[in-house]
Amino acid sequence: MKDTVAPYTTADGRQIGDVLMDMRGITLRFGGVEAIKDISFDIREGEIRAIIGPNGAGKSSMLNVISGFYNPQDGEVWFRGAKRPPMKPYQVARQGIARTFQNIALFDGMSVLDNIMTGRLTHMKSGLLAQAVWKGRAEREEVENRAVVERIIDFLEIQAIRKTPVGRLPYGLKKRVELARALAAEPKLLLLDEPMAGMNVEEKEDMSRFILDVNDEFGTTIALIEHDMGVVMDLSDRVVVMDYGRKIGDGTPSEVRNNQEVIDAYLGVAHD
Amino acid sequence: MLYREAGDFKTSYAADSQTFPIKFDRWRYWVVLAVAWLVIPFFINDYWANAILVPFLIYAIAAIGLNILTGYCGQVSLGTGGFMAVGAYSVYKLMTSFPDVSILIHVVLAGFITAAVGAAFGLPSLRIKGFYLAVATLAAQFFLVWLFNKVPWFYNYSASGQISAPERFIGNIAVTGAETTPWAQYLICLFFVTLCALLARNLTRGSLGRQWMAIRDMDIAAEIIGVDPLKAKLTAFAVSSFFIGIAGALFFAVYLGAVEVGEAFGIQKSFLVLFMCIIGGLGSIFGSFAGAAFLVLLPVALKVLGVDILGWPSSTVAHLQLVAVGGLIMFFLIKEPHGLAQLWRVAKEKLRMWPFPY
């Protein structure tokens, strides 16, 4: 861990600062199966951190630990300098962690606008009575948050589908709406679970552009899981490599690419 | 065409999110309200009040309530009859215990009591979903009816086990009891319908409504975005039961006047209100009205057609009615799960283009 504590500068000259999230010795078991074995890594403020590994390596489980779906049997999660007690996902959301899902999890019966507005929930405070009366606080809050949402809609270029029910959208746009919903929460840490799965090259380029822009303009810290190696190497500042629940590599893309264990895990290794 | 909607010309987010974005709709809404409040009371007679308008208004409140729970929050409930009974017995106990307090306050209090009971019976929803939850709410239905039959305190130890509404006045106008005029019955129900529809619309358009719909559509994603499922589901149960309780209170005090719990608030009532929501449109306030109107009018229309015009025996018509409702439920579930409200929306969209569909 000592080797990653000092601030560093990325290839494109951005200064990466303090540790935002620190995973220390995380172990996650399902019955007798160890999905994650004693993994430690950190996520720094402002960086794009990728988690890669072959299928079944435990990447999604790791994301689920961060977002509170699973509580690890061992290890500590530190977020913004404080140790996090076991939490429910909605409590994690209120701490400023938002995420997207591998297979899209949008609210199909609601319009794009309403879906993204849901992302603002943690910022909306008016109670049941205020909303029942509507005039006054609830309406003001609605309009203020709508303005924020409209900025994100502009940013992700989905103005035209604002009022469309999400169920009617094609796959690529759904992915974008899901990103918009996560962004609407103005998270400190954004988790993306395979944001480019099932996309064609053009859609992947668009999505990559958006991820870089989010990181650039909003300064959002991003942790992402992705299978497309080209994308991972281009986007991320640092990469964690997992295999069979263990961490087998951690470092900049070029370091990871030359790591013998990583090459073995991906290309297979001769048993003799 | 009556419609004047050529594009989106909204200049503020408030204007964009109003209930009736089209001016013509807004006008029609005010006209309907004005007719309901200012014209109908002068022309209403006993038949119209008792056969059509008063039950329609009361069922509309109940359907709005169930629609919040089932249509917006996605929690199936078969306990509606039981919760209406809670409203009825609450208002009865309040009326007989505090005769000097206004009936309006009693009805609202009955709503709050039902909300508390509903939230308590909503607790299983945190663990179970779908059919299993429906069965759990079914338990509420049978338990509550049993309770009101079994414990004499609820019906003030009356010999018949029935409850009957004492006479109560607003000003010097009787709204419950034998002396009530049809227009007074109608107006008190209309008052609560207007109030409830407004509250329901406000609650479903804001962040609370979105929390409910998020839970309905994808509960995992809802949780990750910051919805506390416990709070969202229980508020849905409470708000829904509040409306259903008010409907039950009015059903007993204003409409029927005397009630035997198993007969008035049995399982058939739960299904009737659920059918109203399905036929009218799940997840729509307008749908609640449409469904209530439809299922109140259907028996009347069938009776007029079958008995009065075709001269069939009334028992045949009564059976036909069951067949028709059953058939319609299947038709709507297959063809248009979003009910009359969706048909209305589609018709509006088509009419906007008509007669040039491209």
Side-chain angles (χ1 to χ4, degrees):
Chain A
M1 293 290 293
K2 270 153 260 105
D3 54 337
T4 58
V5 170
Y8 73 100
T9 311
T10 58
D12 56 337
R14 281 174 305 119
Q15 190 73 37
I16 297 301
D18 296 334
V19 173
L20 178 69
M21 172 155 264
D22 199 1
M23 314 293 283
R24 298 183 187 171
I26 301 292
T27 300
L28 178 70
R29 286 184 214 98
F30 298 111
V33 183
E34 274 199 321
I36 302 175
K37 292 168 198 147
D38 190 24
I39 290 193
S40 302
F41 68 95
D42 63 352
I43 301 168
R44 307 285 199 78
E45 242 161 76
E47 76 175 343
I48 300 182
R49 187 73 146 127
I51 304 173
I52 64 170
N55 285 331
K59 309 180 297 292
S60 288
S61 298
M62 196 54 160
L63 229 54
N64 284 337
V65 167
I66 298 179
S67 55
F69 278 114
Y70 301 147
N71 280 312
Q73 278 79 9
D74 267 318
E76 296 171 354
V77 180
W78 286 67
F79 185 61
R80 302 173 81 193
K83 187 181 164 191
R84 199 174 80 180
M87 275 187 173
K88 296 258 193 262
Y90 69 90
Q91 294 168 317
V92 172
R94 285 169 195 182
Q95 282 207 321
I97 298 179
R99 73 171 283 183
T100 65
F101 289 83
Q102 187 172 347
N103 21 30
I104 302 165
L106 284 167
F107 311 125
D108 278 347
M110 298 157 74
S111 67
V112 168
L113 183 64
D114 275 339
N115 263 278
I116 306 175
M117 282 295 279
T118 327
R120 296 296 300 167
L121 274 181
T122 48
H123 299 263
M124 298 177 87
K125 300 277 179 276
S126 65
L128 186 130
L129 284 179
Q131 289 187 44
V133 178
W134 191 253
K135 289 288 163 208
R137 185 167 173 199
E139 190 176 26
R140 201 167 53 243
E141 201 176 58
E142 179 90 0
V143 170
E144 283 165 8
N145 284 291
R146 175 79 189 274
V148 178
V149 165
E150 288 292 337
R151 273 206 295 284
I152 288 161
I153 289 179
D154 280 351
F155 181 80
L156 292 176
E157 296 160 21
I158 46 178
Q159 298 93 333
I161 54 168
R162 216 186 255 121
K163 297 271 170 89
T164 316
V166 161
R168 283 194 214 162
L169 294 178
Y171 183 80
L173 279 178
K174 279 190 185 173
K175 279 269 185 194
R176 214 186 285 181
V177 173
E178 205 188 10
L179 176 63
R181 187 181 66 190
L183 278 182
E186 295 181 275
K188 306 274 183 316
L189 174 62
L190 176 61
L191 309 171
L192 304 174
D193 195 349
E194 302 203 19
M196 276 157 265
M199 288 184 162
N200 63 32
V201 177
E202 206 175 320
E203 288 171 328
K204 278 184 186 176
E205 280 173 359
D206 281 348
M207 190 50 99
S208 306
R209 193 68 253 156
F210 286 129
I211 291 173
L212 285 175
D213 283 350
V214 166
N215 181 247
D216 233 29
E217 289 188 26
F218 302 140
T220 310
T221 310
I222 297 172
L224 66 92
I225 295 177
E226 187 48 64
H227 274 299
D228 187 321
M229 277 307 124
V231 169
V232 170
M233 295 304 168
D234 287 348
L235 280 183
S236 50
D237 300 318
R238 289 193 301 156
V239 183
V240 180
V241 192
M242 291 175 71
D243 190 23
Y244 290 113
R246 293 174 304 116
K247 182 168 97 168
I248 56 170
D250 187 355
T252 61
S254 56
E255 284 168 13
V256 164
R257 199 175 312 165
N258 298 320
N259 181 327
Q260 188 56 46
E261 247 191 300
V262 175
I263 296 170
D264 289 349
Y266 267 89
L267 300 181
V269 64
H271 295 278
D272 37 31
Chain B
M1 259 340 283
L2 288 168
Y3 270 86
R4 300 279 183 275
E5 189 197 27
D8 279 324
F9 299 123
K10 305 296 182 309
T11 51
S12 76
Y13 296 136
D16 192 42
S17 61
Q18 58 192 341
T19 308
F20 301 105
I22 302 170
K23 207 172 183 181
F24 175 77
D25 279 355
R26 229 158 27 239
W27 274 103
R28 189 179 47 202
Y29 165 74
W30 287 113
V31 168
V32 169
L33 260 190
V35 170
W37 275 99
L38 302 174
V39 180
I40 293 179
F42 292 103
F43 294 98
I44 196 166
N45 59 25
D46 202 41
Y47 174 75
W48 273 86
N50 276 313
I52 295 171
L53 285 168
V54 170
F56 158 65
L57 292 174
I58 292 172
Y59 280 126
I61 300 177
I64 289 173
L66 185 62
N67 224 330
I68 283 178
L69 186 62
T70 304
Y72 282 93
C73 198
Q75 312 296 310
V76 182
S77 165
L78 291 174
T80 316
F83 295 135
M84 283 177 83
V86 174
Y89 278 78
S90 305
V91 88
Y92 174 68
K93 286 305 282 186
L94 287 167
M95 282 165 90
T96 48
S97 308
F98 308 99
D100 299 328
V101 181
S102 163
I103 173 95
L104 293 177
I105 294 172
H106 283 152
V107 171
V108 173
L109 281 179
F112 280 113
I113 292 171
T114 317
V117 175
F121 279 103
L123 284 171
S125 71
L126 306 170
R127 289 293 171 106
I128 50 181
K129 294 178 191 170
F131 286 126
Y132 303 97
L133 179 62
V135 172
T137 55
L138 202 59
Q141 166 74 48
F142 285 116
F143 170 74
L144 289 168
V145 168
W146 171 84
L147 182 74
F148 292 130
N149 259 330
K150 201 72 186 171
V151 182
W153 179 79
F154 285 112
Y155 49 86
N156 282 358
Y157 308 94
S158 76
S160 61
Q162 285 197 343
I163 54 172
S164 49
E167 266 194 341
R168 288 293 177 268
F169 297 86
I170 296 176
N172 52 5
I173 300 154
V175 288
T176 65
E179 297 297 306
T180 316
T181 49
W183 63 266
Q185 269 183 317
Y186 168 79
L187 275 183
I188 187 173
C189 291
L190 184 63
F191 168 75
F192 278 108
V193 166
T194 316
L195 189 76
C196 288
L198 204 66
L199 288 180
R201 167 63 189 156
N202 283 344
L203 284 173
T204 50
R205 80 208 289 203
S207 73
L208 193 59
R210 277 192 292 268
Q211 287 190 32
W212 291 337
M213 289 188 275
I215 288 281
R216 171 193 69 190
D217 285 351
M218 184 73 78
D219 49 358
I220 289 174
E223 217 179 328
I224 207 68
I225 212 74
V227 179
D228 180 350
L230 174 97
K231 233 177 110 189
K233 284 180 182 172
L234 289 191
T235 46
F237 266 97
V239 170
S240 154
S241 306
F242 176 76
F243 290 136
I244 292 172
I246 286 183
L250 293 174
F251 196 74
F252 153 67
V254 176
Y255 179 53
L256 290 182
V259 154
E260 200 281 309
V261 61
E263 213 165 287
F265 299 117
I267 181 77
Q268 316 90 303
K269 200 105 306 170
S270 299
F271 278 113
L272 180 65
V273 178
L274 185 63
F275 291 162
M276 285 174 181
C277 289
I278 292 173
I279 288 185
L282 289 167
S284 155
I285 305 288
F286 169 75
S288 311
F289 282 97
F294 192 85
L295 282 189
V296 169
L297 282 178
L298 185 72
V300 179
L302 279 179
K303 186 175 166 293
V304 169
L305 181 76
V307 180
D308 300 348
I309 297 177
L310 296 174
W312 293 346
S314 54
S315 62
T316 313
V317 176
H319 293 146
L320 262 182
Q321 181 197 328
L322 292 176
V323 174
V325 172
L328 278 167
I329 296 288
M330 282 196 279
F331 173 79
F332 273 103
L333 282 179
I334 293 167
K335 282 292 176 193
E336 191 51 270
H338 297 288
L340 291 171
Q342 180 67 14
L343 286 181
W344 175 242
R345 268 194 293 272
V346 170
K348 276 204 293 194
E349 274 184 28
K350 294 233 162 104
L351 277 177
R352 197 180 298 158
M353 303 287 198
W354 186 85
F356 307 109
Y358 299 104

